[in-house]
Amino acid sequence: MQIYMPDGKRAELAAKDCLIEDILKELKINSEEVIVAKNGRIVAEEETAGGSDELKIVRIVHGG
């Protein structure tokens, strides 16, 4: 599984289907600060990913 990190780096995990929430925990990324797109579609943390899936993790920026 290819993962595009918020800082622009790429990571690869050889994980079988697991919850996106667990993937974020493993990568030490706070799930409340990001949104995740799986294969180009925004998904919830309860969705699973693995195999040939591509995840893009985008940090949410807010302020005034």
Side-chain angles (χ1 to χ4, degrees), residues 19-57:
L19 292 174
I20 290 174
E21 179 180 25
D22 294 336
I23 294 169
L24 293 174
K25 285 179 186 176
E26 184 176 330
L27 296 170
K28 296 180 175 51
I29 296 175
N30 184 345
S31 63
E32 294 182 10
E33 298 177 352
V34 298
I35 57 171
V36 178
K38 173 182 159 184
N39 302 323
R41 185 177 60 89
I42 295 173
V43 293
E45 298 168 27
E46 295 80 22
E47 182 123 2
T48 59
S52 62
D53 286 330
E54 182 179 282
L55 297 182
K56 184 170 185 178
I57 303 169

Side-chain angles (χ1 to χ4, degrees), residues 6-19:
D7 61 4
K9 295 181 182 176
R10 289 193 333 184
E12 198 166 323
L13 287 179
K16 294 186 179 179
D17 286 344
C18 54
L19 292 174

